[in-house]
């Protein structure tokens, strides 16, 4: 459920704002986010757990825009962060430090020190060398670092090999047996306070069974640790819940997910945490783009003809199709009238590589130069992964709330882009 739809006038709006008005005011390409959708997704996720009241640590990497984080923080969300930059963003957006979790396989000494200084709620430690480094840094500071051990349960899941994180051959976390050993070591360290265990097995997961399997293994680990006399107060079950990208059956709802979790942790007295990213923000955002032109290559001997829809958005603005073969629905901003014929398009951007192809042979109503389209479900890992490749300006972002909209990250100017660099003194 989202708040991007065609109005009675046949024009697509985000809540009360016609998307074409944003395209006119801000230019294209531009990301547009819906406050109502963010609020709805957060409350549906939160309410699914009822009285359990887990920490919902929004995975900032999915969409690090400060206004997006603040919208969620105001509802009570915490933040799952993976770099000093993300911790700084979460704090700047108003997430209290005691709701910030710091994850990641390669935290630097500087980042660990920073996390201790600001007092994050928990550092999810992913390896033995990291545990040793953190123990040393905390000892130097004369503090005890609150930690969880990130476990790799050897159960992978997710929408693409590149985003599956839970198998033993992936770089994330430690094995079950290593986790037991490290937890006991940490409990004996004067500068570490192990409070729980964490896992995250992948992203865009559309089947609850691998998650359930992993969560059962986590429960068993909690019970083993407790049997050894170790205190385990927290269980962080990560993110990963998938969203409908329109080309696949609907993924499990937050309610079904929460019911499964409830069954797994039944009777276990423990504080739960989750790190949802995509499920909160994906369908709360679209990428608006304008058709530059349609380029038709006629069929020649031995070859098929092609029809390229050349957009002003490119792989640098939305890399998911190029990187994960991801599907994004593409809709014209003006609803096609009944009976409009459809044509097959290869939808491409202006970047100079063939990988800059959003989709091939997509059937769309006939479109022409100047028409506007929206890439749906682009609120997660869209703008977050954008770059300036081909010296294209970083794509701006707009947040809608009811009938209002605000540019929450303006498009830089070419002067801004060039001013970030320095010519070497000898040139
Ligand atoms: N927690 C940890 C430790 C993670 O590594 C991730 C995502 C999350 C939580 C949030 O997962 P989510 O709920 O969003 O599935 N760029 C890829 C997705 C990469 C996910 C990386 N880790 C994409 O565009 O599909």
């Amino acid at each position: 459920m989202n708040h991007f739809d065609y109005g009675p006038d046949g024009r697509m709006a985000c809540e009360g704002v016609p998307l074409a008005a944003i395209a006119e005011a801000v230019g294209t390409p531009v990301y547009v986010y819906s406050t109502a959708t963010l609020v709805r997704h957060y409350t549906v996720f939160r309410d699914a757990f009822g009285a359990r009241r887990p920490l919902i640590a929004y995975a900032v990497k999915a969409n690090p825009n400060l206004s997006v984080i603040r919208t969620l923080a105001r509802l009570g969300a915490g933040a799952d962060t993976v770099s000093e930059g993300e911790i700084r963003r979460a704090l700047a957006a108003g997430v209290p430090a005691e709701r910030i979790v710091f994850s990641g396989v390669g935290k630097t000494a500087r980042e660990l020190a920073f996390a201790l200084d600001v007092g994050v709620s928990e550092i999810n430690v992913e390896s033995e060398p990291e545990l040793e480094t953190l123990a040393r840094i905390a000892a130097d500071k004369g503090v005890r670092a609150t930690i969880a051990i990130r476990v790799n349960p050897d159960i992978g899941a997710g929408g693409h090999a590149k985003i599956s994180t839970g198998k033993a051959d992936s770089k994330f976390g430690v094995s079950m047996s290593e986790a037991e050993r490290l937890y006991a070591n940490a409990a004996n360290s004067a500068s570490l306070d192990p409070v729980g265990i964490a896992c995250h097995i992948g992203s865009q997961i559309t089947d609850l069974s691998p998650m359930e399997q992993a969560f059962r293994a986590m429960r068993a680990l909690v019970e083993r640790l407790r049997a050894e006399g170790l205190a385990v107060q927290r269980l962080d079950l990560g993110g990963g819940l998938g969203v409908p990208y329109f080309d696949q059956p609907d993924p499990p709802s937050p309610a079904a997910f929460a019911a499964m979790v409830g069954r797994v942790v039944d009777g276990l007295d423990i504080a739960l945490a989750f790190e949802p990213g995509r499920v909160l923000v994906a369908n709360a955002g679209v990428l608006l783009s304008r058709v530059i032109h349609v380029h038709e290559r006629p069929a020649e001997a031995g070859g098929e003809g092609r029809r390229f829809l050349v957009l002003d958005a490119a792989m640098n603005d939305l890399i998911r199709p190029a990187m994960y073969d991801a599907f994004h629905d593409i809709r014209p901003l003006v609803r096609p009238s009944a009976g409009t014929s459809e044509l097959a398009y290869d939808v491409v951007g202006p970047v100079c590589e063939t990988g800059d192809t959003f989709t091939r042979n997509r059937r769309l109503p006939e479109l022409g130069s100047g028409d506007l389209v929206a890439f749906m479900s682009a609120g997660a890992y869209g703008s977050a992964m954008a770059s300036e490749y081909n010296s294209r300006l970083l794509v701006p972002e707009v947040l809608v709330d009811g009938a209002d909209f605000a540019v929450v990250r303006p498009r830089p100017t070419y002067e801004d882009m060039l001013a970030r660099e320095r010519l070497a003194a000898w040139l």
Side-chain angles (χ1 to χ4, degrees), residues 57 59 61-62 80 82 103-104 124 126 150 160 162-163 165 172 199-200 202-205 238-242 245 275-280 319-320 323-324 326 380-382 385:
K61 63 172 80 69
D80 168 54
V82 292
S103 312
N124 287 352
E126 301 219 13
R150 162 103 179 248
H160 190 276
K162 286 182 187 161
I163 56 174
T165 48
F172 301 96
C199 75
H200 169 80
S203 192
Q204 184 55 17
I205 302 174
L241 199 57
Y245 280 109
E275 303 168 355
R278 190 188 315 265
V279 74
L280 299 182
I319 204 171
R320 302 193 68 257
M323 193 133 165
Y324 316 110
Y381 307 108
M385 298 179 79

Side-chain angles (χ1 to χ4, degrees), residues 6-26:
Y6 294 110
D9 59 356
R11 300 195 304 161
M12 197 193 289
C14 172
E15 304 185 26
V17 182
L19 288 173
I22 295 176
E24 285 308 325
V26 186

